[in-house]
Amino acid sequence: EIVLTQSPGTLTLSPGERATLSCRASQSVGSYLAWYQQKPGQAPRLLIYAASSGATGIPDRFSGSGSGTDFTLTISSLEPEDLAVYYCQQYDTTPFTFGPGTRVEVK
Amino acid sequence: EVQMLESGGDLAQPGGSLRLSCAASGFTFDNFAMGWVRQAPGKGLEWVSGISGHGGSRDYAASVKGRFTISRDSSQNTLHLQINNLRAEDTAMYYCVRYSGSYYLLAFWDYWGRGTRVTVSS
């Protein structure tokens, strides 16, 4: 099973700041990596797929990069509504697995 | 508009059974693989099961294999998850998910339902 680790565990930033979230896989997943955002009390929603492609309707302040084992989700200018837990997920190999999440808090 | 509405979650006793359902609309149901992802209270996300667009292939997480059965009804555009021999560790919110393609390999989840809650307790 592919293990995903995410860092940091919690990220606290002010509105307008840049957020950089990392995800590392225990073995290569190519570009088969997605990012999901889960706001408090809500279901997750897809942000990024294929490591760097934005999902429909996602603001362009969200971007993804990386391949192989190291991936990054960047929020270029944090908005108050970006308060959420962000999960990376690999869909290269079953069982599909998630990282433990990064909690983003907005000051 | 793509919509998935789950139902069937309940409080159940260990060893009992539940059948979860997911009513899908806004897309051609047979063209997409479907699945279930769960989230225990205060915990992260765990993939549970997936089924191909025409139902011919299914896959399960090791933690549920032999106890859970996924199925789909094309006439009703509905996905089901039969859960038998419930355990305390099955307590979670169960989300219905749509895969991005007709097969569940190399496909991400582009739409999620709001979830249905399963609680296993005596």
Side-chain angles (χ1 to χ4, degrees):
Chain A
E1 171 173 315
I2 296 176
V3 176
L4 299 180
T5 55
Q6 291 187 244
S7 60
T10 302
L11 191 57
T12 304
L13 296 168
S14 298
E17 289 192 296
R18 184 183 192 88
T20 301
L21 288 65
S22 294
C23 175
R24 175 164 290 179
S26 59
Q27 64 189 71
S28 176
V29 298
S31 294
Y32 296 111
L33 188 108
W35 290 92
Y36 300 89
Q37 176 194 61
Q38 187 174 33
K39 295 183 177 181
Q42 295 185 18
R45 73 163 175 167
L46 177 69
L47 289 179
I48 301 288
Y49 64 95
S52 60
S53 296
T56 303
I58 300 303
D60 57 11
R61 65 180 182 275
F62 291 94
S63 64
S65 63
S67 66
T69 60
D70 290 292
F71 301 87
T72 301
L73 174 70
T74 302
I75 310 173
S76 60
S77 180
L78 201 65
E79 299 280 348
E81 62 263 30
D82 297 335
L83 163 71
V85 179
Y86 294 82
Y87 295 95
C88 60
Q89 178 247 333
Q90 64 83 19
Y91 52 100
D92 176 74
T93 305
T94 60
F96 294 166
T97 49
F98 291 90
T102 290
R103 183 178 304 276
V104 173
E105 298 177 345
V106 183
K107 291 179 184 175
Chain B
E1 180 190 5
V2 172
Q3 290 190 341
M4 281 111 68
L5 183 62
E6 301 94 334
S7 61
D10 204 348
L11 171 65
Q13 293 193 339
S17 297
L18 283 174
R19 190 188 196 210
L20 307 184
S21 297
C22 169
S25 61
F27 63 98
T28 304
F29 188 63
D30 288 354
N31 287 356
F32 294 89
M34 300 290 293
W36 295 91
V37 173
R38 68 184 180 183
Q39 185 171 34
K43 302 296 185 183
L45 299 166
E46 178 189 20
W47 168 76
V48 171
S49 183
I51 186 169
S52 59
H54 289 281
S57 298
R58 309 166 193 209
D59 198 11
Y60 300 92
S63 58
V64 308
K65 193 171 289 188
R67 299 188 299 121
F68 288 23
T69 302
I70 191 171
S71 63
R72 60 192 298 159
D73 182 346
S74 296
S75 67
Q76 300 288 323
N77 286 359
T78 302
L79 177 73
H80 299 289
L81 186 69
Q82 177 68 38
I83 307 176
N84 295 330
N85 191 18
L86 279 159
R87 302 171 179 170
E89 55 265 36
D90 296 323
T91 294
M93 181 72 81
Y94 285 73
Y95 295 104
C96 173
V97 293
R98 191 186 85 165
Y99 286 75
S100 55
S102 60
Y103 199 56
Y104 51 72
L105 294 179
L106 300 179
F108 51 91
W109 300 308
D110 55 2
Y111 288 95
W112 296 61
R114 293 189 176 185
T116 187
R117 187 171 300 280
V118 172
T119 303
V120 183
S121 175
S122 55

